[in-house]
Amino acid sequence: MNRQILFTEPNKAELVEVDLPDQLQANEVLVRMAYTAISAGTERANLVGDLNISGTAILNRAIFPRALGY
């Protein structure tokens, strides 16, 4: 299991557990981290639904849920 921040709707974030894949693809690696950091600007943009994240400006609307890839 892996823990991940999931932005479920504007101004709401949840810490959820996500299953890891049983097998990795040939071009993937699995890294175990002891610590991580939060990038305040990116997390804030995802939290409030800024349109400059994940291509949502093209659609002109925020898409939820949103999850970070790092």
Side-chain angles (χ1 to χ4, degrees):
M1 285 288 207
N2 187 41
R3 283 184 260 166
Q4 180 180 46
I5 296 172
L6 183 65
F7 301 94
T8 55
E9 61 187 65
N11 300 309
K12 184 175 180 184
E14 296 179 24
L15 184 61
V16 297
E17 289 192 353
V18 180
D19 288 328
L20 295 173
D22 292 330
Q23 291 186 345
L24 298 176
Q25 301 297 317
N27 62 343
E28 295 179 323
V29 296
L30 182 62
V31 177
R32 176 175 280 208
M33 294 188 305
Y35 299 97
T36 187
I38 290 179
S39 171
T42 302
E43 272 74 1
R44 184 200 165 281
N46 276 292
L47 179 65
V48 299
D50 280 357
L51 296 181
N52 64 342
I53 301 296
S54 304
T56 56
I58 296 168
L59 301 173
N60 201 28
R61 65 182 177 89
I63 298 171
F64 288 89
R66 295 176 172 200
L68 301 176
Y70 57 89

